[in-house]
Structure formats: C-alpha cells, structure tokens
Amino acid sequence: MAKYIQHLLLAGTALIVISCNQPKAIDEQDGLATFNKDSLVKHIVTLSSNEYQGRRPFTAGEVKTIAYLQKTYKSLGLEPGNGDSYLQEVPMVEISPKSVSPLKVQSTKGSFELKNMDDFVMWTERTDTVQTLNNDDVVFAGFGVVAPEYNWNDYAGLDVKGKVVMVMVNDPGFETGDTTMFKGKTMTYYGRWTYKFEEAARQGAKACIIVHNTAAASYPFHVVQNSNGGVKLHLDKRANHAYQLAMQGWVTHQSAVKLLQAAGKDTSVLHTANKHGFKGFDMGIKLSATVKTKVVFNKSHNVIAKITGTKRPDEYIVFSAHWDHLGVGKPDAKGDSIYNGALDNASGTAAILEIARAFKSLKTPPERTIVFLSVTAEEQGLLGSEYYGENPVYPANKTVANINIDVINPFGKTKDVSISGNGQSELEDYLVAELKKSNRYLASEAHPEAGSYFRSDHFSFAKVGVPSITVDAGIDVVGKGKEYGKKLQEDYTANRYHQPADQYDATWSFDGGMEDIEMIFRIGKRLAFESSFPQWKAGSEFKKLRK
C-alpha cells in the first residue's frame, strides 16, 4: 500500500511538472481590438509630411522624427528602452567624394586608364581625406569567399596583404544552380557585396573591387553608380580601431575583361572560379588611383522603448522598423524634391507604434520584455540596426527574436504574404501557423538569387545570431488575384519607390496592411508567453552564431 501511494505521489508530481512546462493558453483576441486604421494613418501622414523633410539623418527632419517617436512611446505608457532614455546615439561619419582619379592600370602589355563612374565606382570608409593606390599588385580571388561549412576557401594559398583583390559578386552556386554547392541559385551571405569587402579586410587587403554582373548582382550597374557615387554615411568606427580597406568598389564587366586581358587571361577564369579546387592568382598588373574626400562626424539616433516582462524580464523580443528616408534630393519632373517615404518607411514605423499600443493594452501583460526599436540610417546601409547589433542594449544571447517591418501593404487584403530567406529560421514556422488560422499562405520567395534577406534591418540581428524576419506584403489580392497584385507592386516600384512620389495617398485602404500588422502582433504575443527560443534551421549560415 505504501509503495502504491508512493507511485501515486510520483505520478502526481510528474503531472504537475509536465503541466508547468506546457505553454499556457493565450487569449487569441486579447489586444486585437486596440488596432485602429485611423491611428495608423495619422502616424503615416505626420511622419511623411513635408514638415519632416524626408527624415534624413543629421537634418531637422531627424530632430522632428525622433521627438515624435519619443512623445508617442511616452504617451502610450512605454518605458524608456535605454536606461532612462528613449535614445541610443549612433556615431556616424558623412564622407563626400571631392575627387576620384582615373584608375591607372600598368602591365607588361602596356598601360591604360579606366574612368570613374563609367568604368568603375570607388569609395572609402576611412576617415583620412586622401586615400591612394600606388602601383599596387592585383590578386584575383574568385568569389572572395571563406566558408568552412561549404569546404570553400578562395584565399587559400594567396598572399593579399597590402594588395588589391578582385572578386566576383554572388557565390559559387549561382551560375551552376547546383543546390549541392552553397544553396544553388539562392544567394547566401557569402554572395553579398558587403561580405566581399569584410572578408578582404580580414585578409589584410588594401583594396577590393567587385566585378559587376547584372544577373548575379540582381541590379544593373547604374544602381551601383547611384548608390555609391556620391555622399555616403558610415558608422564612425574610430573607437574600435578595426582594420578598414583603403578603397572599395565595383568595376563593370567590360572593365574586368580589360583587366584580365592585361593579365594575359580571359573570361574563362570567371567560370572556372565556380569549381571546387579553383586557385586564385596574382594577376601581374598594378593599379594606381587617388580618392579625395570631405569628412564630417556627427551622431544620429535609434529610438528605443520597452514593456518589461512579468516573469522573464531578461528575455527580449525586438520589433524594429527604420524611421529614416532619403531627405531632400534631386527634383522629379514636377519639381518636387522632398523624398517623403510614406510607405518606405513611415508605414513600418507607424505599424510598430500600433503593435506597441496593442501590447500595452493586454489584459495579461507579456511575460517576456517587448522592445520597440526605431532605427536610423537604413537607407544608408542598415547603419542604425548594425550599430545596435554591435552595441546591443539587450544581450543578443537573451534576445529571443527580431521581427522587422519595412513597408506595409496599403491596398486590399491578400491571401499570401512573403519573406526573404525562406528556410532560415523557425520564425517562418510561427508565421505559417498564424497564416493558417486565417486560411492564408506563405508565398515562395520570387527572387532568392537577389539576396534580399541581407538588405533589411533584420539582417543586423542575424549577423549576431538572433533569429530574425521581415514580413513583406503579398500579391494574391482577395477577389482580384496575383496578376492584379503584381501590377500594384510593380507600379509602386517604378513610380514611387525612392522617389518624391512616395507620399501619402488618401485612396489607400490599408485593409491588407492592417491584417498583416495584426498577424505580426500575434506572432510576437505567442513568443511573449513561451519559454523556448526559436532556432535557426539546418543549413542557415547564422546557426553557428547562435551556438
């Protein structure tokens, strides 16, 4: 009898333990009634008004924007997210090209020059006002990739210290489409141009030039010219003394052919670089160039607010959106020079304000801390989120997930949504589960070869190991279909994206956007009451960072 009672007690204890480990039932409707389209639109209209001058960092537009965000977070009853402040200073440097000389090429076959902006685009992140190449040796290093998990090292056996490295864009799987080589057509971070410069610097190169290829880069050379030929903002890294390249840039495919010919090679090396066992080589040519710049140091700001968790306050779920846009620039055909950025990204900024209001309204407050991060300088290269990733207010290993919003759907409801980087993390599974509840679906990524996963602020969290996701609008419009939705998307890209025409439009219904925002809120709410952490999936290049 005593043994029987002991077994009952043990069984009862086990049941108690099991029940304690089960996720508690969440009231699915709690918080949803708070969402309000009028409130969302009011934020968008304000932030994208001419008064805010396009919200460029270092301008009066920034001052107004961060003041508005602080005031709104405070009015919602959210706590300051950085100690007793809602702000995180982001030290940056504005580097303006004063002059870039022709690129002089010297070889045993003779010499020639390449013209800046036509044949190449070159810039520097160093803050000295003059950078030079002076008959520096050039090494061709394939894709410039060091990826142990793929058994790939383009720098093996090469000495590139103090030299110029020429590499190709994308990664070895792109041309062949062979899924056993990296991820086939799907770009990994090793294929992204930012990685090329980072790896060249780690190898001690003096400069790095990327061979442009429209298909492999997923954009034509004029995008490179427009993005990198003028004034650029960078993080001010004087304090960490990290090695930086003296120069970095791109050359056109035609210019790369000339460089290879000067080295006694042809374009066949660009194809053989896709194969295992390819060895880079010293090209036997020398480059000379001078870049002169004007340098201005300044500080921009991330805005951070939080709701402290009731049971696990030291575990964090971060919602993010970038508040900045392009400011005042080249006038359009109508003479409008203010790049208002209504959808990009006043809409995403407004969305996380609405999500913050919903979390604050919960009858059962979140068990984990919910952080709302409005970041600066996304349009300048994800700088605000990169700074946060390198200088986190909340530890990366205690950050459960990052959910980022960059442009919401201003039109009607859709059956689908999309993300970049399908198969990266378990956050995708959370998304699919929420979509199923509404008989919706996750569409396949339209252009995985474009590397879109590395182009939005969630990527700055991925780089430090935090599972992260940006949920994008779908195109399968209810009652009208995919072709209709695709035309809406193409019209925005052609006529509004990064143009003064990205202004608030009173005909926007935001029915689809509201549905998507509520779904994103539900994902965050589920995470807020769980005790487990979502993980990276097998095959993700970021899985090792979480460990």
Side-chain angles (χ1 to χ4, degrees):
M1 186 67 171
K3 269 190 176 180
Y4 177 70
I5 292 172
Q6 187 179 25
H7 282 309
L8 281 177
L9 289 170
L10 288 171
T13 302
L15 284 170
I16 291 169
V17 171
I18 290 169
S19 64
C20 287
N21 285 332
Q22 295 300 310
K24 66 165 58 180
I26 301 172
D27 180 354
E28 292 281 348
Q29 298 304 309
D30 192 7
L32 292 179
T34 310
F35 284 99
N36 183 286
K37 189 189 302 184
D38 292 338
S39 176
L40 177 83
V41 168
K42 182 182 176 183
H43 291 311
I44 295 172
V45 169
T46 300
L47 290 167
S48 64
S49 66
N50 284 350
E51 182 185 353
Y52 282 68
Q53 294 289 292
R55 305 188 308 279
R56 183 178 171 85
F58 298 174
T59 67
E62 168 168 1
V63 176
K64 290 180 184 295
T65 302
I66 65 175
Y68 182 85
L69 292 173
Q70 289 179 87
K71 179 181 177 181
T72 305
Y73 281 132
K74 192 177 295 185
S75 70
L76 292 172
L78 272 65
E79 307 159 60
N82 188 15
D84 59 359
S85 176
Y86 289 97
L87 300 179
Q88 180 187 38
E89 287 188 344
V90 181
M92 293 198 293
V93 56
E94 183 179 77
I95 301 179
S96 308
K98 291 175 68 176
S99 66
V100 179
S101 73
L103 190 62
K104 297 180 180 179
V105 184
Q106 183 71 45
S107 74
T108 56
K109 297 176 178 287
S111 62
F112 60 93
E113 291 185 353
L114 299 176
K115 187 178 179 181
N116 178 45
M117 294 299 287
D118 290 344
D119 303 317
F120 72 96
V121 177
M122 195 83 78
W123 69 95
T124 182
E125 292 187 20
R126 289 189 184 180
T127 55
D128 305 301
T129 56
V130 179
Q131 296 295 332
T132 61
L133 300 178
N134 187 14
N135 276 340
D136 290 310
D137 293 325
V138 185
V139 176
F140 179 67
F143 288 92
V145 168
V146 178
E149 68 271 37
Y150 293 111
N151 191 30
W152 197 280
N153 186 350
D154 282 317
Y155 285 99
L158 295 180
D159 175 14
V160 300
K161 285 184 171 56
K163 300 177 182 179
V164 180
V165 178
M166 187 168 84
V167 298
M168 297 160 63
V169 70
N170 218 305
D171 60 47
F174 173 76
E175 184 176 315
T176 64
D178 182 356
T179 54
T180 65
M181 186 175 287
F182 288 68
K183 292 183 179 179
K185 288 285 187 184
T186 299
M187 183 190 286
T188 68
Y189 183 54
Y190 297 114
R192 183 78 170 132
W193 61 269
T194 51
Y195 168 82
K196 311 293 183 180
F197 297 145
E198 291 165 3
E199 189 59 52
R202 281 191 286 269
Q203 298 291 330
K206 185 175 182 180
C208 179
I209 52 177
I210 301 173
V211 179
H212 181 263
N213 175 301
T214 296
S218 81
Y219 42 79
F221 193 69
H222 72 76
V223 173
V224 175
Q225 295 166 319
N226 293 340
S227 299
N228 301 297
V231 179
K232 289 176 66 69
L233 294 180
H234 306 280
L235 292 180
D236 177 4
K237 298 196 173 183
R238 289 175 297 172
N240 65 14
H241 304 293
Y243 178 76
Q244 293 176 301
L245 299 171
M247 294 184 198
Q248 56 199 46
W250 296 69
V251 294
T252 64
H253 180 79
Q254 293 85 350
S255 298
V257 170
K258 291 181 181 179
L259 293 171
L260 288 169
Q261 289 173 342
K265 304 287 184 180
D266 58 36
T267 56
S268 64
V269 301
L270 302 178
H271 302 290
T272 55
N274 288 280
K275 299 176 181 178
H276 272 292
F278 173 80
K279 299 293 183 184
F281 54 89
D282 190 312
M283 296 177 67
I285 62 176
K286 297 179 182 294
L287 298 184
S288 297
T290 301
V291 173
K292 295 181 180 179
T293 61
K294 176 185 175 183
V295 176
V296 177
F297 295 96
N298 209 329
K299 291 179 180 177
S300 188
H301 302 83
N302 292 331
V303 187
I304 314 174
K306 69 174 179 176
I307 299 171
T308 300
T310 56
K311 292 188 177 180
R312 290 179 294 285
D314 61 344
E315 296 176 0
Y316 310 95
I317 299 159
V318 179
F319 286 91
S320 62
H322 72 90
W323 60 253
D324 68 302
H325 198 55
L326 301 175
V328 179
K330 182 181 178 182
D332 64 9
K334 298 178 181 179
D336 187 358
S337 61
I338 299 176
Y339 290 68
N340 302 83
L343 290 182
D344 185 13
N345 189 30
S347 70
T349 301
I352 66 168
L353 293 176
E354 284 300 291
I355 290 170
R357 196 155 65 92
F359 267 106
K360 192 63 181 174
S361 77
L362 290 177
K363 295 170 187 173
T364 305
E367 295 181 356
R368 284 168 158 161
T369 295
I370 313 298
V371 178
F372 301 93
L373 175 64
S374 304
V375 296
T376 183
E378 186 271 353
E379 302 290 6
Q380 303 292 329
L382 316 183
L383 300 185
S385 59
E386 180 183 345
Y387 184 81
Y388 181 91
E390 294 175 353
N391 304 273
V393 175
Y394 306 103
N397 64 351
K398 289 289 187 176
T399 301
V400 177
N402 166 242
I403 303 173
N404 184 62
I405 305 177
D406 194 347
V407 180
I408 64 171
N409 176 12
F411 306 114
K413 293 183 179 182
T414 61
K415 297 178 182 178
D416 63 332
V417 299
S418 65
I419 61 172
S420 55
N422 290 85
Q424 283 282 9
S425 81
E426 291 176 352
L427 289 177
E428 183 178 327
D429 302 332
Y430 283 72
L431 173 61
V432 169
E434 288 301 328
L435 287 168
K436 284 182 179 177
K437 292 176 184 177
S438 305
N439 294 315
R440 302 176 73 196
Y441 66 93
L442 176 62
S444 298
E445 187 175 1
H447 298 286
E449 72 280 2
S452 297
Y453 188 78
F454 317 118
R455 299 186 187 183
S456 203
D457 284 308
H458 68 264
F459 176 56
S460 297
F461 286 85
K463 285 176 73 174
V464 294
V466 177
S468 55
I469 193 171
T470 296
V471 180
D472 297 317
I475 61 168
D476 192 353
V477 179
V478 174
K480 296 184 177 180
K482 295 179 183 178
E483 284 305 312
Y484 176 80
K486 188 177 179 183
K487 285 179 181 177
L488 290 176
Q489 194 176 76
E490 289 173 346
D491 177 71
Y492 168 72
T493 301
N495 299 312
R496 292 181 183 260
Y497 176 67
H498 282 196
Q499 297 181 52
D502 186 5
Q503 301 180 31
Y504 173 71
D505 187 332
T507 66
W508 289 337
S509 72
F510 286 108
D511 291 341
M514 290 301 296
E515 185 175 41
D516 291 347
I517 294 166
E518 291 178 16
M519 175 195 62
I520 291 168
F521 164 71
R522 293 199 305 269
I523 294 171
K525 191 168 73 169
R526 175 180 164 187
L527 290 166
F529 290 96
E530 287 185 344
S531 58
S532 59
F533 280 56
Q535 299 298 316
W536 294 102
K537 293 191 173 186
S540 170
E541 55 266 52
F542 307 107
K543 188 177 180 69
K544 60 188 177 187
L545 300 176
R546 192 58 156 179
K547 291 180 180 179

